[in-house]
Amino acid sequence: MPVYLDIATQLDNDVRNKYQAGDYLPSESQLALRFNVNRHTVRRAIDELVATGMVQRHQGKGNMVLRQPHDYYLHAGAHFTGNLLEQGSLPRSEVLQARVIIANSKIAERLNKPAESKVIHIRTFRKIDGIPRTVIDHYLSDTTWWVVLKYFNTGSLHQFINKELNIELQRKNTRLRAQMPTNEDCRLLQINSNIPILKIKTTNVIKGTNIVAEYSSSNTRSDVIELVMEH
Amino acid sequence: MPVYLDIATQLDNDVRNKYQAGDYLPSESQLALRFNVNRHTVRRAIDELVATGMVQRHQGKGNMVLRQPHDYYLHAGAHFTGNLLEQGSLPRSEVLQARVIIANSKIAERLNKPAESKVIHIRTFRKIDGIPRTVIDHYLSDTTWWVVLKYFNTGSLHQFINKELNIELQRKNTRLRAQMPTNEDCRLLQINSNIPILKIKTTNVIKGTNIVAEYSSSNTRSDVIELVMEH
DNA sequence: CGGGATTTGTGCGTATGTATA
DNA sequence: TTATACATACGCACAAATCCC
């Protein structure tokens, strides 16, 4: 094992045990003295911590500890069930935003509407252990629903629509991919930029028709989540 | 602007215009001569390309160009359809490995077998545009199938089992997550470690029974892939 | 199989630039 | 302004992986 990886391991331990988020590591020169290596070697070691998102470099100041890395691992309780695919159905979702917006071209296309149409945008999220794990953006085609939907604030969106508007939504297709989070994703999900997220997009029609009523896009932090579908 | 960023920009242009995926860059020593800098500086420049996923390092061989710019964009043709979830069904898969192994504890558990049982391991992969996009590990519980399965070399594994053994496999459940690739994933999929992968794991029973016959685990590069399911 | 040539990976020492306090 | 800390760059040496004869 290269020396720099040894040092990276020790620094990793220090960060976990001795430092808190916001603290600064000893200077690279001091660390070089302490580990009896050249400063380049210390820098290479710190590169590893930077790559994993534990440390941030600040020229002229020092290398700052970003945060205590949780020991993330999957446990059975953290599993989402297949109904995550039915994104309007999450029973304990909460509303972050709800408003009428001008659809961008992609959303307009998914909803089969002309460019720059007005659509309803509702952003909900679901927490596990007090931390937001999934953020879902719902885009609803029919703005006349707004008079009712503006009162939606918690629970299952699809159930709400069913009850208040007497309309049943049916999932038509699902698109799924993994990607690295945007800055906004990082903020909403409270994660570092090095954790991949699952992005699930669905289009939903009014049951029995081909009328696309809803397009939804969800982002889920994937480090503590495993999507399980029983067939 | 630092010298290494200048060189990175030039190399980036070269990669886009002069090289194809799979090509190797000139050696670092040659590039150092060409740009009249130290080899360290060239390495620092190549680090930039590695970080953006354009180039992969191979110790002892050289620095390989990973992909062309058009690969950065999802295009409709690159979409997998939902039958990716039925991992034995990929019609144009090829076999990388096929052998009998001792199952580790996780695989044994999934197959409802005692620890350290023997199982059949078949690794297949699927290419798009000549590049491996998905690598699937199949683990089959019944080693008596080996006398037949050792002759499987291409096509659909489930079809082969159906035809040769007269056994129909049925998907029981699917687990799905996103994660960063291991070193082996990077090698097999020819990607950099900064691209997340989709991991899909299925258990399959013998149709009409509860006998778990197969556990499969697939890794798919997620940068050019979007999983589409029609309902 | 061995051995030598090539190429990337690691590490040291030194020097200088740049940002911060 | 000065001192400190990180950023860039050169040169040298050797290790480790790969390739080819």
Side-chain angles (χ1 to χ4, degrees), chain A residues 177-189:
Chain A
R177 60 178 315 211
Q179 65 177 38
M180 301 311 288
T182 64
N183 287 341
E184 193 185 16
D185 295 332
C186 290
R187 186 174 55 78
L188 291 171
L189 295 173

Side-chain angles (χ1 to χ4, degrees), chain A residues 207-230:
Chain A
K207 190 171 185 177
T209 74
N210 267 324
I211 303 169
V212 178
E214 183 205 7
Y215 168 68
S216 74
S217 171
S218 78
N219 292 321
T220 304
R221 51 185 297 170
S222 66
D223 53 341
V224 291
I225 291 299
E226 189 168 60
L227 188 62
V228 181
M229 289 173 276
E230 299 286 339

Side-chain angles (χ1 to χ4, degrees), chain A residues 2-4 36-41 44 59-61:
Chain A
V3 177
Y4 76 87
N36 245 296
V37 296
N38 192 277
R39 188 163 78 91
H40 285 307
T41 307
R44 186 70 184 79
Q59 184 174 358
K61 284 185 76 174

